[in-house]
Amino acid sequence: MSYFRRFIVLLTLTCGLASISASALANSDKGSASATGAPTAHLEPFVVNLSSFDKYLQAVITLQVTANEIGDKIKTYMPMVRHVVIMTLSSKDSSEVQSSAGKKALVEELKEKLNSALKTSEHEGVSDVFFENFVIQ
């Protein structure tokens, strides 16, 4: 392959990747609504030891909130929000959260604890918790 062709292929790949990256960046702030249209707050990934200390949990969580103001409040109180999530996740044993029912119970517990920490109710604060990634190892 000639140098010119290699250059064209490299340039095309670079432009394509730049386009994908720009699209992802644009959607990271504007894509803050769930399928129901409600605003969401994305949390950075969590990696915690489970209570038995022989396994750990990696989770990516998005919170559905009732209003954009709650999303702003979550950003303001992010250290407290992360602390509540970490303490809740790390208090669980792997057998508790492996099943679908266990994950649903965890969602309810997280909603309750986060709304309590934010001093809001479910109807005014965090209305749902979505696991975008949930891996126990």
Side-chain angles (χ1 to χ4, degrees):
M1 188 181 279
S2 72
Y3 289 111
F4 181 72
R5 282 188 179 174
R6 287 182 186 176
F7 175 75
I8 295 299
V9 169
L10 182 59
L11 182 62
T12 303
L13 288 173
T14 303
C15 289
L17 289 175
S19 173
I20 291 169
S21 296
S23 172
L25 183 60
N27 290 334
S28 68
D29 287 334
K30 301 295 182 193
S32 61
S34 68
T36 62
T40 57
H42 302 281
L43 305 181
E44 292 294 317
F46 294 90
V47 179
V48 298
N49 288 317
L50 294 173
S51 65
S52 59
F53 291 108
D54 62 340
K55 295 189 180 197
Y56 67 90
L57 169 64
Q58 177 186 7
V60 177
I61 297 173
T62 295
L63 306 175
Q64 181 175 308
V65 295
T66 56
N68 288 327
E69 294 77 24
I70 301 301
D72 293 339
K73 189 172 185 178
I74 288 171
K75 287 179 188 174
T76 301
Y77 294 102
M78 188 58 74
M80 179 181 63
V81 168
R82 288 191 60 81
H83 173 76
V84 167
V85 173
I86 288 169
M87 296 303 287
T88 303
L89 295 177
S90 64
S91 71
K92 302 299 176 191
D93 190 67
S94 62
S95 61
E96 290 179 79
V97 293
Q98 284 180 330
S99 69
S100 180
K103 289 179 186 77
K104 287 178 184 176
L106 180 57
V107 163
E108 294 303 318
E109 183 177 352
L110 284 169
K111 283 194 306 188
E112 180 183 316
K113 287 184 175 183
L114 287 168
N115 283 322
S116 175
L118 294 168
K119 296 180 176 43
T120 60
S121 70
E122 184 175 339
H123 303 292
E124 301 170 348
V126 176
S127 58
D128 210 347
V129 176
F130 302 112
F131 294 117
E132 294 183 48
N133 187 20
F134 197 94
V135 178
I136 299 171
Q137 291 184 332

